[in-house]
DNA sequence: TCGTATAATTAGGATACCCTTATATTAACT
DNA sequence: AGTTAATATAAGGGTATCCTAATTATACGA
């Protein structure tokens, strides 16, 4: 029983746990159930392992699993998850603004740092950064207390031809997609207009900050937009 | 065999390994053999476990173990260790100068951050800090390439009554001792003078930056001094 | 209602660390 | 040379996380 304590202190072992919680929070949209399969997929882990872990997390009171339906974070779980997202996004701000690193690295590094940032450190960092509200990818930084700002957004994939908007954020960040989008000028603040949608709900041709870009539907789902003026041409 | 790769990526598991290497490097004085017992002690780990790990590290070519004598890092091992010390001390600079955290926290946080800092990140941090040469505790920051600056130092415990000097650094840092010394104005740059040494090589009464302090011999061994003028009263 | 695709579980392993309690070895001092 | 204290090994366990392959259970659309 003593081993547990020492192990815990030496290699603070909740990294796995934290990644599960964060992932679930990121995937879940307004309180929907998250299928265990999705979790496994995003963590590149077998569904068996994910399932095991889900049980453990349930035992620890961090989530509730409805078999064949999915998983929902408890209040405890959600708090933990928001803490992690907070650290992740604060680090991203630091890495971007102060160290000048590129998006993909910023995200990947933050994904490691998020697991080794106690509150004192996180708060000091927050202050040092001037209490930012959003990460470089436009996602809101959960405050120590209080509720996350909610903004009205539409996935780019839902826009019709002719519709215009401004990129607010990229959701469900991961190294891959960030890199890809960064190279295509898709950033918070970019002005976008749908020029054409290929048949079968296919790739979108868009004008992104004046430049012509083509984005697949899947990718477009991760780009959240604030509509500009409701000029629905189609 | 696939598991290994995934595990490695998910929870970069060399924290233990890194702590061993760093610890060995810190303890060892100019290439001396480091007893396995000392390693175990500093890591708060059983000697059996330390011994096991030493074997593993030997197999990985990071050190050489001479039974009943001790351990010495190979060139590879030393490089790894210096990399870790570099990250540790750079983070310490950041946490001190930019976040204004106190010594103990600075050290403890750095001990976690040191394990999640790839080269790109470390180098960017280094640049951001203006390429500092020493950590807040006065220890040299290993450069990416080249050799560590070596300075002529004497442990405070070796000074006689009447001798004076300036604190250069505190070696074998750990949270405990740093906290203790910080509270007693023992910092790099502090002017010190031995006023009295209790019988049996006991506690020293010293004038530290003008203030009277008492420091046990054990603690004094960790305070490295640059002698000022060789006025050996005793 | 029935079948099938999806989700969950069972079974059997692997790895990296860590522990305690013996039991050898050896260095070193008398 | 002999004894002893320090070191090293052996033996038997434990935990958390992950894997594959095979086997159930269930939801849901036809
Ligand atoms: Mn992470
Ligand atoms: Mn982000
Ligand atoms: Mn450490
Ligand atoms: Mn230091």
């Amino acid at each position: 029983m003593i081993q547990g304590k020492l192990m815990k202190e030496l290699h603070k072992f909740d990294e796995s746990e934290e990644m599960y919680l964060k992932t679930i929070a990121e995937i879940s949209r307004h309180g929907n159930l998250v299928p265990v399969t999705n979790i496994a997929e995003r963590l590149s882990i077998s569904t068996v392992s994910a399932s095991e872990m889900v049980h453990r997390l349930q035992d620890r009171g961090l989530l509730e699993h409805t078999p064949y339906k999915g998983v929902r974070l408890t209040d405890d779980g959600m708090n933990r998850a928001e803490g992690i997202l907070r650290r992740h996004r604060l680090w991203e701000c630091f890495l971007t603004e102060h160290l000048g690193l590129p998006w993909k690295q910023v995200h990947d590094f933050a994904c490691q740092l998020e697991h080794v940032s106690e509150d004192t450190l996180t708060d000091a960092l927050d202050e040092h950064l001037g209490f930012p509200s959003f990460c470089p990818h436009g996602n809101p930084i959960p405050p120590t207390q209080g509720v996350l700002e909610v903004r009205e957004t539409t996935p780019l994939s839902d826009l019709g031809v002719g519709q215009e908007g401004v990129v607010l954020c990229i959701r469900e960040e991961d190294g891959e997609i960030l890199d890809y989008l960064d190279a295509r000028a898709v950033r918070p603040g970019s002005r976008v207009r749908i020029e054409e949608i290929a048949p079968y709900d296919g790739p979108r041709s868009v004008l992104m900050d004046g430049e012509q870009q083509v984005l697949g539907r899947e990718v477009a789902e991760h780009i959240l937009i604030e509509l500009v003026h409701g000029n629905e041409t189609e």
Side-chain angles (χ1 to χ4, degrees), chain A:
Chain A
M1 262 66 286
I2 267 174
Q3 354 180 172
K5 264 228 289 277
L6 289 175
M7 292 236 331
K8 211 68 191 285
E9 287 189 42
L10 187 53
H11 27 253
K12 59 225 151 337
F13 211 94
D14 5 49
E15 171 160 355
S16 248
E17 178 173 310
E18 292 191 338
M19 284 306 281
Y20 275 90
L21 294 177
K22 189 183 79 162
T23 300
I24 294 166
E26 279 177 326
I27 295 180
S28 114
R29 263 333 225 182
H30 17 76
N32 282 345
L33 287 179
V34 176
V36 178
T37 310
N38 291 18
I39 305 172
E41 200 176 10
R42 261 187 72 93
L43 291 174
S44 309
I45 263 173
S46 78
T47 62
V48 176
S49 299
S51 195
E52 274 184 333
M53 187 56 150
V54 158
H55 287 332
R56 259 172 270 162
L57 294 175
Q58 179 157 248
D59 292 345
R60 292 173 207 167
L62 296 166
L63 54 76
E64 271 163 32
H65 178 218
T66 314
Y68 298 97
K69 289 294 163 61
V71 140
R72 167 179 296 127
L73 295 179
T74 62
D75 288 354
D76 263 29
M78 186 50 97
N79 283 340
R80 286 282 312 275
E82 289 192 337
I84 302 156
L85 285 169
R86 174 173 150 78
R87 291 174 245 151
H88 180 99
R89 291 172 185 165
L90 284 172
W91 277 119
E92 285 188 332
C93 288
F94 171 72
L95 296 172
T96 301
E97 291 164 25
H98 288 80
L99 299 196
L101 296 172
W103 267 20
K104 184 189 162 52
Q105 281 189 356
V106 155
H107 177 78
D108 290 348
F109 291 158
C111 189
Q112 302 193 253
L113 294 167
E114 67 193 357
H115 308 291
V116 279
S117 313
E118 326 223 326
D119 286 348
T120 326
L121 172 51
T122 307
D123 294 342
L125 185 63
D126 194 16
E127 184 181 346
H128 182 242
L129 294 169
F131 308 104
S133 300
F134 300 97
C135 84
H137 316 103
N139 290 301
I141 297 174
T144 322
Q145 56 206 12
V147 193
L148 264 183
E149 290 184 44
V150 181
R151 295 181 295 177
E152 182 90 7
T153 61
T154 318
L156 182 58
S157 50
D158 283 6
L159 299 208
V161 170
Q163 281 194 292
E164 287 186 45
V166 173
V167 175
L168 278 191
C169 63
I170 288 135
R171 78 182 225 83
E172 287 181 46
E173 315 179 354
D174 80 25
E176 285 298 308
I177 201 179
L178 289 180
D179 226 18
Y180 183 84
L181 293 180
D182 192 25
R184 282 163 182 74
V186 183
R187 297 189 198 93
S190 291
R191 181 80 178 223
V192 62
R193 186 188 137 89
I194 308 283
E195 298 289 305
E196 186 188 347
I197 301 182
Y200 300 106
D201 203 11
R204 275 72 174 157
S205 299
V206 307
L207 216 56
M208 182 68 70
D209 248 6
E211 282 179 58
Q212 188 79 29
Q213 304 286 355
V214 179
L215 300 168
R217 200 201 63 246
E218 300 253 310
V219 166
E221 285 172 9
H222 293 259
I223 305 171
L224 299 189
I225 303 298
E226 177 182 43
L227 289 172
V228 165
H229 44 64
N231 60 333
E232 328 228 340
T233 301
E234 195 105 346

